[in-house]
PDB file of all heavy atoms in Angstrom:
ATOM      1  N   VAL A   9     -59.691-228.876 -33.430  1.00  0.00           N
ATOM      2  CA  VAL A   9     -60.193-229.773 -34.486  1.00  0.00           C
ATOM      3  C   VAL A   9     -59.711-229.287 -35.847  1.00  0.00           C
ATOM      4  O   VAL A   9     -59.288-230.072 -36.698  1.00  0.00           O
ATOM      5  CB  VAL A   9     -61.745-229.838 -34.438  1.00  0.00           C
ATOM      6  CG1 VAL A   9     -62.254-230.707 -35.582  1.00  0.00           C
ATOM      7  CG2 VAL A   9     -62.212-230.377 -33.100  1.00  0.00           C
ATOM      8  N   ALA A  13     -57.497-231.494 -38.346  1.00  0.00           N
ATOM      9  CA  ALA A  13     -58.029-231.891 -39.666  1.00  0.00           C
ATOM     10  C   ALA A  13     -57.340-231.126 -40.794  1.00  0.00           C
ATOM     11  O   ALA A  13     -57.559-231.434 -41.966  1.00  0.00           O
ATOM     12  CB  ALA A  13     -59.537-231.655 -39.709  1.00  0.00           C
ATOM     13  N   VAL A  23     -69.138-228.062 -40.859  1.00  0.00           N
ATOM     14  CA  VAL A  23     -69.406-229.499 -40.714  1.00  0.00           C
ATOM     15  C   VAL A  23     -70.255-229.766 -39.462  1.00  0.00           C
ATOM     16  O   VAL A  23     -71.239-230.527 -39.504  1.00  0.00           O
ATOM     17  CB  VAL A  23     -68.088-230.300 -40.641  1.00  0.00           C
ATOM     18  CG1 VAL A  23     -68.352-231.753 -40.297  1.00  0.00           C
ATOM     19  CG2 VAL A  23     -67.347-230.187 -41.964  1.00  0.00           C
ATOM     20  N   MET A  24     -69.886-229.159 -38.352  1.00  0.00           N
ATOM     21  CA  MET A  24     -70.601-229.419 -37.100  1.00  0.00           C
ATOM     22  C   MET A  24     -72.053-228.938 -37.183  1.00  0.00           C
ATOM     23  O   MET A  24     -72.946-229.523 -36.573  1.00  0.00           O
ATOM     24  CB  MET A  24     -69.906-228.716 -35.923  1.00  0.00           C
ATOM     25  CG  MET A  24     -68.484-229.185 -35.636  1.00  0.00           C
ATOM     26  SD  MET A  24     -68.231-230.963 -35.686  1.00  0.00           S
ATOM     27  CE  MET A  24     -69.069-231.486 -34.189  1.00  0.00           C
ATOM     28  N   THR A  34     -63.536-233.605 -47.275  1.00  0.00           N
ATOM     29  CA  THR A  34     -63.211-232.655 -46.195  1.00  0.00           C
ATOM     30  C   THR A  34     -64.055-232.940 -44.966  1.00  0.00           C
ATOM     31  O   THR A  34     -63.568-233.008 -43.836  1.00  0.00           O
ATOM     32  CB  THR A  34     -63.449-231.216 -46.660  1.00  0.00           C
ATOM     33  OG1 THR A  34     -62.911-231.034 -47.954  1.00  0.00           O
ATOM     34  CG2 THR A  34     -62.851-230.237 -45.692  1.00  0.00           C
ATOM     35  N   ARG A  35     -65.325-233.152 -45.225  1.00  0.00           N
ATOM     36  CA  ARG A  35     -66.254-233.421 -44.135  1.00  0.00           C
ATOM     37  C   ARG A  35     -65.757-234.629 -43.329  1.00  0.00           C
ATOM     38  O   ARG A  35     -65.718-234.576 -42.081  1.00  0.00           O
ATOM     39  CB  ARG A  35     -67.648-233.710 -44.689  1.00  0.00           C
ATOM     40  CG  ARG A  35     -68.661-234.159 -43.655  1.00  0.00           C
ATOM     41  CD  ARG A  35     -69.987-234.588 -44.311  1.00  0.00           C
ATOM     42  NE  ARG A  35     -70.466-233.560 -45.222  1.00  0.00           N
ATOM     43  CZ  ARG A  35     -71.134-232.486 -44.860  1.00  0.00           C
ATOM     44  NH1 ARG A  35     -71.428-232.332 -43.585  1.00  0.00           N
ATOM     45  NH2 ARG A  35     -71.526-231.618 -45.739  1.00  0.00           N
ATOM     46  N   GLU A  36     -65.351-235.658 -44.035  1.00  0.00           N
ATOM     47  CA  GLU A  36     -64.896-236.870 -43.357  1.00  0.00           C
ATOM     48  C   GLU A  36     -63.661-236.569 -42.493  1.00  0.00           C
ATOM     49  O   GLU A  36     -63.574-237.024 -41.341  1.00  0.00           O
ATOM     50  CB  GLU A  36     -64.583-237.979 -44.365  1.00  0.00           C
ATOM     51  CG  GLU A  36     -65.836-238.682 -44.876  1.00  0.00           C
ATOM     52  CD  GLU A  36     -66.773-239.097 -43.743  1.00  0.00           C
ATOM     53  OE1 GLU A  36     -66.289-239.733 -42.763  1.00  0.00           O
ATOM     54  OE2 GLU A  36     -67.978-238.799 -43.820  1.00  0.00           O
ATOM     55  N   ARG A  37     -62.742-235.821 -43.059  1.00  0.00           N
ATOM     56  CA  ARG A  37     -61.521-235.491 -42.309  1.00  0.00           C
ATOM     57  C   ARG A  37     -61.890-234.761 -41.014  1.00  0.00           C
ATOM     58  O   ARG A  37     -61.370-235.062 -39.929  1.00  0.00           O
ATOM     59  CB  ARG A  37     -60.608-234.588 -43.134  1.00  0.00           C
ATOM     60  CG  ARG A  37     -59.678-235.318 -44.097  1.00  0.00           C
ATOM     61  CD  ARG A  37     -58.279-234.727 -44.132  1.00  0.00           C
ATOM     62  NE  ARG A  37     -58.214-233.278 -44.261  1.00  0.00           N
ATOM     63  CZ  ARG A  37     -58.520-232.593 -45.345  1.00  0.00           C
ATOM     64  NH1 ARG A  37     -58.952-233.214 -46.432  1.00  0.00           N
ATOM     65  NH2 ARG A  37     -58.441-231.293 -45.388  1.00  0.00           N
ATOM     66  N   VAL A  38     -62.832-233.809 -41.116  1.00  0.00           N
ATOM     67  CA  VAL A  38     -63.238-233.030 -39.948  1.00  0.00           C
ATOM     68  C   VAL A  38     -63.918-233.952 -38.929  1.00  0.00           C
ATOM     69  O   VAL A  38     -63.625-233.909 -37.731  1.00  0.00           O
ATOM     70  CB  VAL A  38     -64.157-231.885 -40.344  1.00  0.00           C
ATOM     71  CG1 VAL A  38     -64.766-231.231 -39.107  1.00  0.00           C
ATOM     72  CG2 VAL A  38     -63.411-230.863 -41.176  1.00  0.00           C
ATOM     73  N   LEU A  39     -64.812-234.773 -39.426  1.00  0.00           N
ATOM     74  CA  LEU A  39     -65.539-235.657 -38.499  1.00  0.00           C
ATOM     75  C   LEU A  39     -64.562-236.598 -37.802  1.00  0.00           C
ATOM     76  O   LEU A  39     -64.694-236.880 -36.594  1.00  0.00           O
ATOM     77  CB  LEU A  39     -66.601-236.444 -39.243  1.00  0.00           C
ATOM     78  CG  LEU A  39     -67.811-235.589 -39.688  1.00  0.00           C
ATOM     79  CD1 LEU A  39     -68.784-236.429 -40.501  1.00  0.00           C
ATOM     80  CD2 LEU A  39     -68.521-234.989 -38.476  1.00  0.00           C
ATOM     81  N   ASP A  40     -63.579-237.113 -38.543  1.00  0.00           N
ATOM     82  CA  ASP A  40     -62.570-237.964 -37.923  1.00  0.00           C
ATOM     83  C   ASP A  40     -61.833-237.217 -36.823  1.00  0.00           C
ATOM     84  O   ASP A  40     -61.654-237.748 -35.710  1.00  0.00           O
ATOM     85  CB  ASP A  40     -61.543-238.417 -38.980  1.00  0.00           C
ATOM     86  CG  ASP A  40     -62.056-239.611 -39.763  1.00  0.00           C
ATOM     87  OD1 ASP A  40     -63.120-240.150 -39.376  1.00  0.00           O
ATOM     88  OD2 ASP A  40     -61.426-239.985 -40.760  1.00  0.00           O
ATOM     89  N   ALA A  41     -61.414-236.014 -37.156  1.00  0.00           N
ATOM     90  CA  ALA A  41     -60.667-235.222 -36.155  1.00  0.00           C
ATOM     91  C   ALA A  41     -61.535-234.976 -34.931  1.00  0.00           C
ATOM     92  O   ALA A  41     -61.082-235.103 -33.787  1.00  0.00           O
ATOM     93  CB  ALA A  41     -60.234-233.903 -36.779  1.00  0.00           C
ATOM     94  N   ALA A  42     -62.791-234.624 -35.149  1.00  0.00           N
ATOM     95  CA  ALA A  42     -63.707-234.363 -34.053  1.00  0.00           C
ATOM     96  C   ALA A  42     -63.850-235.606 -33.179  1.00  0.00           C
ATOM     97  O   ALA A  42     -63.834-235.536 -31.950  1.00  0.00           O
ATOM     98  CB  ALA A  42     -65.073-233.935 -34.564  1.00  0.00           C
ATOM     99  N   ARG A  43     -63.955-236.751 -33.831  1.00  0.00           N
ATOM    100  CA  ARG A  43     -64.095-237.983 -33.081  1.00  0.00           C
ATOM    101  C   ARG A  43     -62.820-238.264 -32.274  1.00  0.00           C
ATOM    102  O   ARG A  43     -62.905-238.573 -31.073  1.00  0.00           O
ATOM    103  CB  ARG A  43     -64.369-239.124 -34.068  1.00  0.00           C
ATOM    104  CG  ARG A  43     -65.420-240.099 -33.587  1.00  0.00           C
ATOM    105  CD  ARG A  43     -65.827-241.067 -34.705  1.00  0.00           C
ATOM    106  NE  ARG A  43     -66.590-240.408 -35.754  1.00  0.00           N
ATOM    107  CZ  ARG A  43     -66.332-240.495 -37.054  1.00  0.00           C
ATOM    108  NH1 ARG A  43     -65.268-241.184 -37.481  1.00  0.00           N
ATOM    109  NH2 ARG A  43     -67.096-239.875 -37.929  1.00  0.00           N
ATOM    110  N   THR A  44     -61.703-238.094 -32.926  1.00  0.00           N
ATOM    111  CA  THR A  44     -60.434-238.346 -32.236  1.00  0.00           C
ATOM    112  C   THR A  44     -60.295-237.491 -30.996  1.00  0.00           C
ATOM    113  O   THR A  44     -59.901-237.957 -29.930  1.00  0.00           O
ATOM    114  CB  THR A  44     -59.258-238.033 -33.183  1.00  0.00           C
ATOM    115  OG1 THR A  44     -59.439-238.765 -34.397  1.00  0.00           O
ATOM    116  CG2 THR A  44     -57.930-238.412 -32.535  1.00  0.00           C
TER     117      THR A  44
END
Side-chain angles (χ1 to χ4, degrees):
Chain A
V9 177
V23 172
M24 298 316 288
T34 313
R35 174 187 309 278
E36 281 312 310
R37 275 221 313 289
V38 170
L39 288 177
D40 278 352
R43 222 170 289 128
T44 306

